[in-house]
């Protein structure tokens, strides 16, 4: 993830991603934190935390890694200690972002499928604890990445750039660590999100049929069902976030599987198909860090209203200042 690509396409993409992703995640954090979107405090806690970790991914992986390497090669950020620390931060932010998506999916699964457990588990206090544990583990587990790299060359006793140490490829413990990292992110989250969504859909279909039979009128008129309407809105948000996550992480997973079957393959330059597949996985993976805000805007009416209010705020301030000077 930390190896910088070359080419106009990558330069334009990462610049555009930084310009778009930073403000949209900040907007999501501000709007949802205000608590006027009609979402429970538990859901709001998860969504704000997901936006914050997505913002951290953009900041570490794009702004401090990709963009400087493309536009300012050989800068202070390219020294080995900074490069190694940056890699550890990127992995920590990435894992936190991914696993918060998993825990949000699990929270919605409990809320929809386990009504008796919902009151205790789907609470803001529980969400705060889970977010804290996920982010802490994300940082602790990825500390070894700082020690994986060594300098490519040394100039005037200053180590430059990063490459994996040879022991990383030969030492069994490092291999276990690498496989565990890939399994935890994103392979296991893939399976968990798909499984939880499948169980949620199954439960919804069963309960929907039962509720329709119980609420059916002799005259054949349809009665409104506030409970099912509330669930529908929650489900649309859940499935939109989960589906987007799976689609945008799919190239990364495909590249991981391809690597396992081509152990001795050597990448030859930036036009090599394997390099393009690898970098495409990174591109889409980072793109997933700015899509949730657009999902909120499409699926949540109150979020759109709050977004309009936020966009009008600078205009209102400017208008007030102009009037005060007259």
């Amino acid at each position: 993830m930390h190896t910088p690509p070359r080419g106009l396409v990558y330069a334009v993409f990462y610049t555009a991603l930084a310009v778009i992703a930073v403000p949209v995640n900040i907007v999501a954090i501000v709007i949802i934190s205000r608590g006027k979107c009609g979402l429970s405090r538990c859901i709001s806690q998860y969504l704000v935390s997901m936006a914050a970790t997505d913002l951290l991914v953009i900041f570490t992986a794009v702004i401090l890694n990709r963009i400087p390497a493309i536009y300012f090669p050989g800068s202070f950020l390219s020294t080995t200690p900074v490069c190694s620390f940056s890699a550890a931060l990127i992995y920590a932010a990435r894992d936190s972002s991914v696993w918060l998506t998993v825990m949000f999916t699990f929270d919605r699964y409990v809320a929809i499928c386990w009504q008796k457990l919902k009151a205790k588990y789907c609470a803001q206090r529980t969400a705060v604890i889970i977010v804290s544990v996920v982010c802490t583990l994300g940082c602790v587990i990825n500390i070894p990445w700082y020690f994986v790299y060594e300098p490519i060359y040394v100039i005037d006793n200053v180590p430059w750039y990063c490459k994996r140490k040879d022991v990383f490829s030969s030492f069994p413990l490092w291999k276990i660590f690498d496989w565990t990292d890939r399994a935890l992110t994103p392979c296991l989250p893939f399976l968990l999100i798909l499984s939880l969504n499948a169980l949620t859909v199954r439960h919804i279909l069963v309960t929907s049929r039962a509720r329709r039979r119980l609420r059916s009128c002799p005259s054949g008129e349809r009665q409104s069902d506030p409970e099912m309407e509330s669930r529908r809105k929650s489900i649309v948000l859940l499935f939109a976030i989960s589906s987007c996550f799976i689609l945008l992480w799919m190239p990364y997973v495909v590249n991981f599987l391809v690597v396992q079957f081509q152990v001795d393959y050597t990448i030859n330059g930036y036009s090599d198909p394997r390099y393009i597949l690898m970098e495409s996985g990174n591109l889409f993976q980072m793109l997933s860090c700015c899509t949730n805000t657009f999902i909120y805007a499409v699926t949540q009416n109150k979020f759109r209203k709050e977004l309009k209010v936020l966009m009008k705020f600078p205009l209102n301030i400017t208008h007030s200042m102009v009037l005060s000077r007259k």
Side-chain angles (χ1 to χ4, degrees):
M1 177 184 291
H2 60 282
T3 303
R6 294 290 185 270
L8 180 61
V9 173
Y10 300 118
V12 172
F13 177 88
Y14 285 118
T15 303
L17 181 60
V19 171
I20 295 172
V22 171
V24 299
N25 279 299
I26 293 176
V27 165
I29 293 172
V30 172
I31 291 178
I32 298 173
S33 297
R34 286 164 55 87
K36 297 183 179 180
C37 295
L39 301 171
S40 68
R41 292 183 178 181
C42 177
I43 296 178
S44 298
Q45 182 66 52
Y46 280 112
L47 297 184
V48 168
S49 301
M50 289 161 62
T53 52
D54 286 345
L55 181 62
L56 187 58
V57 171
I58 296 298
F59 185 74
T60 56
V62 179
I63 297 177
L64 293 182
N65 183 271
R66 287 297 207 254
I67 291 178
I70 293 174
Y71 291 102
F72 312 105
S75 66
F76 169 74
L77 295 173
S78 298
T79 57
T80 304
V82 176
C83 177
S84 300
F85 184 67
S86 174
L89 281 180
I90 292 170
Y91 283 110
R94 179 205 64 176
D95 288 1
S96 299
S97 175
V98 170
W99 279 97
L100 284 178
T101 303
V102 175
M103 298 314 298
F104 170 72
T105 305
F106 181 74
D107 179 89
R108 293 300 85 201
Y109 164 72
V110 172
I112 294 170
C113 302
W114 297 90
Q115 293 297 308
K116 293 182 179 180
L117 185 60
K118 175 182 177 181
K120 294 182 178 180
Y121 183 82
C122 301
Q124 185 181 18
R125 181 175 179 274
T126 304
V128 170
I129 294 173
I130 290 175
V131 168
S132 301
V133 171
V134 168
C135 293
T136 301
L137 288 177
C139 294
V140 172
I141 291 174
N142 288 288
I143 289 177
W145 284 111
Y146 179 80
F147 304 98
V148 168
Y149 302 100
E150 62 183 1
I152 296 178
Y153 50 83
V154 179
I155 300 178
D156 296 331
N157 294 323
V158 178
W160 289 93
Y161 299 103
C162 289
K163 69 172 183 177
R164 289 189 179 184
K165 297 176 182 178
D166 294 335
V167 69
F168 188 84
S169 302
S170 59
F171 194 50
L173 188 60
W174 282 121
K175 289 185 177 181
I176 293 173
F177 172 76
D178 189 32
W179 267 90
T180 302
D181 174 75
R182 299 301 181 93
L184 291 176
T185 307
C187 296
L188 183 58
F190 253 61
L191 296 176
L192 289 175
I193 289 175
L194 288 173
S195 300
L196 290 171
N197 283 344
L199 292 172
T200 302
V201 169
R202 179 179 177 275
H203 178 83
I204 291 169
L205 293 176
V206 172
T207 55
S208 296
R209 286 195 293 265
R211 290 180 70 88
R212 279 197 298 267
R213 286 196 298 268
L214 291 173
R215 298 178 65 87
S216 60
C217 298
S219 60
E221 296 180 0
R222 296 183 62 184
Q223 291 182 329
S224 62
D225 191 342
E227 175 67 20
M228 291 306 299
E229 181 64 21
S230 175
R231 286 190 181 185
R232 186 190 68 81
K233 294 179 180 179
S234 180
I235 291 162
V236 168
L237 178 62
L238 168 65
F239 286 178
I241 292 175
S242 300
S243 301
C244 187
F245 170 82
I246 291 173
L247 289 174
L248 293 178
W249 273 85
M250 186 63 70
Y252 184 92
V253 175
V254 171
N255 177 66
F256 168 69
L257 296 176
V258 169
V259 170
Q260 308 314 308
F261 291 100
Q262 295 181 340
V263 180
D264 298 326
Y265 187 90
T266 301
I267 295 178
N268 297 312
Y270 297 112
S271 60
D272 189 290
R274 268 285 306 282
Y275 179 83
I276 295 175
L277 176 61
M278 178 183 69
E279 193 56 37
S280 296
N282 292 331
L283 288 173
F284 285 108
Q285 170 199 333
M286 294 180 196
L287 181 60
S288 68
C289 294
C290 71
T291 55
N292 284 350
T293 303
F294 296 103
I295 291 174
Y296 307 151
V298 171
T299 61
Q300 305 293 311
N301 291 330
K302 292 184 178 180
F303 184 91
R304 288 197 296 271
K305 292 179 181 178
E306 288 297 309
L307 180 59
K308 291 178 182 178
V309 171
L310 187 64
M311 292 176 67
K312 291 179 181 179
F313 181 75
L315 297 177
N316 294 335
I317 293 294
T318 304
H319 182 68
S320 300
M321 292 176 63
V322 171
L323 292 178
S324 64
R325 292 181 179 181
K326 289 183 179 180

